[in-house]
Amino acid sequence: MAEPAPAPPDPAASPAPEPEPEPTIATASAQPGPAAEPPPTADKPSTPLTPSKTWPFVAWDRAEAFTFNHVAYGPGIPLRVYDATSGWSPDIVERTTISAAQAGSAVERVVATRGTLEVSKCAFPRHAVVLYAGDTPVGSVNVCFECGDILVWPEFEPPASGPTAERRLRQQMKAYKRVFPEWERFFRDDLGFPLTPPAQH
């Protein structure tokens, strides 16, 4: 004789599955999202730079003057207050905004001496002018009043050799005799910056 089939389970006897929780603000905010773009920095322009035919070969709209390197001369110390390779000098002492006319005169002096001019073997600039496009540094001229050297970034022109280099140096030195006293008057008289560090007075 066949056994009777088992009775179907009573739905009331089985626990109903728990409903999934509704997402809350906390769980929604924990979901990963796209990474935010870092804000633009002074070294990375947020807008394209405008080329210019005159040094620093980029259109600039403001400028500052600096004193820096009030430290003992030594290896590894940046010789420019700013350049694309080293970034900012860690030894900035003072900075001040200068007028468009003063910045334009600084550019004229760079053009007159055709950029960098090293008249010694121990360049250690302590004064500088930096040109900006917005917040981006686009040029710096760095002057050493102890040794007489002028270092610029970016370079004014490619290096030369042979008779071309000799002719260029003669032109540079002729302009240098006029320009270097102008740099002295600019930093000392116009801005009130001492030409040597206080410890060396």
Side-chain angles (χ1 to χ4, degrees), residues 88-109:
W88 286 104
S89 165
D91 298 308
I92 292 173
V93 176
E94 188 173 358
R95 63 194 297 175
T96 186
T97 299
I98 61 176
S99 69
Q102 290 172 323
S105 295
V107 170
E108 290 173 0
R109 295 183 196 113

Side-chain angles (χ1 to χ4, degrees), residues 1-170:
M1 183 174 180
E3 294 183 1
D10 184 358
S14 300
E18 295 184 3
E20 294 185 4
E22 293 291 330
T24 64
I25 294 177
T27 57
S29 63
Q31 299 300 317
E37 288 292 325
T41 66
D43 298 340
K44 296 180 180 180
S46 56
T47 58
L49 301 176
T50 304
S52 171
K53 293 182 179 180
T54 305
W55 185 90
F57 311 113
V58 171
W60 53 273
D61 52 30
R62 66 184 186 91
E64 291 181 308
F66 294 78
T67 58
F68 70 113
N69 275 353
H70 285 192
V71 295
Y73 179 85
I77 298 176
L79 300 182
R80 295 169 178 81
V81 73
Y82 181 89
D83 64 29
T85 301
S86 302
W88 286 104
S89 165
D91 298 308
I92 292 173
V93 176
E94 188 173 358
R95 63 194 297 175
T96 186
T97 299
I98 61 176
S99 69
Q102 290 172 323
S105 295
V107 170
E108 290 173 0
R109 295 183 196 113
V110 171
V111 173
T113 56
R114 302 179 71 160
T116 292
L117 182 55
E118 296 187 56
V119 297
S120 78
K121 295 182 179 180
C122 58
F124 198 63
R126 304 181 195 269
H127 298 73
V129 169
V130 174
L131 305 172
Y132 299 86
D135 290 330
T136 303
V138 295
S140 73
V141 50
N142 308 266
V143 185
C144 176
F145 290 112
E146 292 156 287
C147 296
D149 301 285
I150 301 171
L151 308 180
V152 308
W153 167 82
E155 291 298 337
F156 182 80
E157 57 192 350
S161 60
T164 301
E166 295 174 3
R167 182 169 59 253
R168 180 185 297 178
L169 181 59
R170 288 194 297 269

